[in-house]
């Protein structure tokens, strides 16, 4: 099949075509296997539904990817999670199908997913699989694709998972840090400078499917609510860029999505109120939930916030996982050659 992006030169290396840089295969084409860590992410950052996201240092999936010399995708779930193994229905497989179709030629990938970020947790499980797969595949192909291309492919995984393409988990997972997705048609991703912050995440052990959490949303918003939301999004981005953490805290307010989705999460109002009383800058639902996140200036505060979360879920009698972590500046990381 004729490739419209990469082509092989006489030495067998994939070369970029119609692009600013020509990049030969990583080490001349000898890598056929790679292991990557694919981190969790917090999408929306409260007020920025579908347009803001932050990359976490914990938790993260591990993915192993083997380059094949036939047009085929094989998916394995290493931990017994019931992930769909049909590549077209798998959040790692669907992006790789798009990548292979765009490249052409007889290439394929065998992917083994060690899932540590539970599906339906709200901390970017589907995005981690999609982003991990495309970064690993790109590495094996000699980094022929740009990060924007990788986000474009990985969004096919989000479409499989939630029925809709969105990049607010994918982009921070691939770029690291905090990203703004100004537009997905065409893709316009802005990396936002990140102040030093601690992130506390609690994952009550119930599953909220993103598809369901999107379907319950109202399709129209009042102008007065939209104005408040615009103010908060602008305030949040300005706060990050100016390292004005009090402005960040004031801007972590959502008058459109949270009032609808928070009813799906036991203990939501109490967690939010008491974590702020414990010193958190603010926070709310992570992605489509049920995980909740809080940002803090200091590690000691983030630990105190975690204690509040633990106390609430122990009292409610709902199992949970919690993390105190920091912002991951690297995104998906290659672990071995
Ligand atoms: N922006 C998406 C949503 C993120 O809130 O539905 C899903 O993780």
């Amino acid at each position: 099949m004729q490739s419209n992006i990469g082509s092989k030169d006489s030495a067998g290396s994939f070369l970029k075509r119609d692009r600013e840089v020509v990049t030969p295969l990583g080490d001349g084409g000898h890598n056929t296997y790679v292991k990557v860590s694919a981190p969790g992410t917090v999408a929306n950052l409260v007020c920025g539904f579908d347009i803001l996201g932050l990359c976490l240092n914990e938790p993260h999936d591990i993915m192993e990817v083997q380059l094949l010399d036939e047009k085929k995708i094989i998916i394995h779930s290493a931990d017994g999670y019931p992930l769909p193994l049909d590549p077209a229905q798998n959040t790692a497989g669907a992006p790789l199908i798009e990548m292979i179709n765009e490249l052409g030629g007889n290439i394929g990938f065998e992917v083994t997913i060690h899932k540590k970020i539970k599906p339906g947790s709200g901390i970017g499980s589907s995005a981690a699989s999609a982003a991990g797969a495309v970064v690993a595949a790109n590495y094996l192909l000699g980094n022929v694709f740009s990060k924007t291309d990788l986000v474009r492919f990985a969004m096919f995984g989000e479409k499989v998972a939630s029925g809709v393409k969105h990049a607010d988990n994918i982009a921070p997972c691939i770029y690291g840090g905090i990203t703004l997705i100004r537009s997905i048609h065409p893709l316009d991703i802005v990396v936002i400078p990140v102040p030093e912050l601690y992130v506390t995440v609690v994952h009550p052990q119930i599953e909220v499917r993103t598809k369901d959490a999107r379907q319950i949303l109202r399709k129209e918003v009042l102008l007065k609510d939209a104005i408040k939301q615009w103010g908060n999004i602008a305030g949040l981005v300005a706060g990050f860029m100016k390292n004005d953490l009090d402005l960040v805290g004031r801007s972590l307010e959502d008058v459109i999505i949270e009032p609808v989705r928070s009813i799906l999460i036991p203990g939501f109002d109490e967690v939010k109120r008491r974590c702020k009383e414990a010193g958190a800058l603010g926070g709310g639902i992570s992605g489509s939930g049920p995980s909740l996140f809080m940002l803090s200036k200091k590690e000691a505060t983030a630990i105190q916030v975690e204690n509040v979360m633990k106390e609430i879920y122990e009292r409610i009698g709902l199992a949970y996982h919690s993390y105190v972590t920091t912002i991951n500046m690297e995104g998906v990381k290659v672990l071995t050659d």
Side-chain angles (χ1 to χ4, degrees):
M1 192 191 298
Q2 185 61 46
S3 158
N4 59 0
I5 287 284
S7 59
K8 275 191 165 185
D9 67 1
S10 54
S13 296
F14 280 99
L15 297 179
K16 283 188 175 180
R17 213 169 52 189
D18 301 331
R19 285 176 197 281
E20 66 286 5
V21 193
V22 174
T23 313
L25 255 170
D27 68 347
H30 299 305
N31 286 318
T32 59
Y33 166 87
V34 70
K35 191 195 262 192
V36 299
S37 73
T41 43
V42 173
N44 299 339
L45 294 182
V46 182
C47 51
F49 180 70
D50 276 1
I51 63 165
L52 286 172
L54 170 159
C55 190
L56 297 168
N57 271 313
E58 290 297 333
H60 62 265
D61 289 347
I62 299 291
M63 297 178 70
E64 296 176 81
V65 179
Q66 177 75 45
L67 184 62
L68 306 175
D69 59 5
E70 55 181 321
K71 200 171 176 184
K72 189 174 189 179
I73 308 275
I74 305 167
I75 307 280
H76 304 285
S77 172
D79 312 290
Y81 268 114
L83 305 174
L85 300 181
D86 171 2
Q89 299 306 317
N90 182 282
T91 56
L96 294 178
I97 292 172
E98 295 299 322
M99 185 186 267
I100 287 173
N101 285 342
E102 194 159 307
L103 271 175
N106 279 328
I107 56 163
F109 299 99
E110 183 168 3
V111 182
T112 304
I113 305 170
H114 302 260
K115 195 43 82 199
K116 302 291 174 234
I117 312 167
K118 266 196 174 176
S121 59
I123 33 182
S125 178
S126 52
S129 295
V134 295
V135 171
N138 195 38
Y139 175 82
L140 296 175
L141 296 171
N143 294 323
V144 287
F145 292 110
S146 68
K147 286 186 177 179
T148 312
D149 288 330
L150 298 183
V151 172
R152 180 166 55 81
F153 292 129
M155 282 199 298
F156 284 90
E158 292 294 45
K159 188 154 191 219
V160 165
S162 68
V164 187
K165 283 187 187 174
H166 55 93
D168 51 341
N169 292 105
I170 296 283
C173 198
I174 288 177
Y175 284 76
I178 296 175
T179 53
L180 162 69
I181 296 89
R182 194 198 62 80
S183 152
I184 59 167
H185 299 299
L187 258 176
D188 188 356
I189 297 162
V190 183
V191 176
I192 307 289
V194 179
E196 193 185 334
L197 283 170
Y198 291 86
V199 191
T200 313
V201 179
V202 66
H203 173 203
Q205 302 289 289
I206 52 173
E207 186 178 342
V208 173
R209 293 174 63 225
T210 299
K211 204 178 246 174
D212 299 335
R214 293 181 80 89
Q215 264 166 9
I216 61 170
L217 298 176
R218 288 190 291 265
K219 301 291 174 281
E220 287 165 2
V221 296
L222 294 173
L223 183 59
K224 72 176 177 58
D225 290 339
I227 292 167
K228 208 160 181 57
Q229 202 86 350
W230 295 326
N232 282 323
I233 295 165
L236 188 59
V237 172
F240 288 138
M241 297 188 72
K242 293 170 63 156
N243 201 3
D244 182 341
L245 297 184
D246 294 324
L247 175 58
V248 166
R250 291 199 300 284
S251 305
L252 287 167
E253 178 194 35
D254 173 5
V255 295
I256 295 175
I257 309 294
E258 181 184 289
V260 182
R261 283 185 171 172
S262 57
I263 54 172
L264 302 174
I265 305 171
F268 175 83
D269 290 334
E270 187 182 357
V271 169
K272 198 167 164 180
R273 177 177 51 79
R274 287 194 45 208
C275 288
K276 283 209 228 172
E277 285 167 7
L281 293 167
I285 304 172
S286 176
S288 55
S291 290
L292 304 176
F293 81 101
M294 287 284 152
L295 300 181
S296 298
K297 286 184 200 176
K298 294 194 161 60
E299 186 176 18
T301 312
I303 292 169
Q304 184 54 30
V305 164
E306 184 187 34
N307 289 337
V308 168
M309 292 167 166
K310 286 178 173 175
E311 191 205 301
I312 293 170
Y313 283 108
E314 271 159 30
R315 198 193 66 238
I316 291 175
L318 186 55
Y320 62 89
H321 288 146
S322 58
Y323 311 86
V324 173
T325 186
T326 46
I327 300 176
N328 177 337
M329 299 307 296
E330 214 174 342
V332 177
K333 184 172 164 190
V334 172
L335 297 177
T336 55
D337 284 342

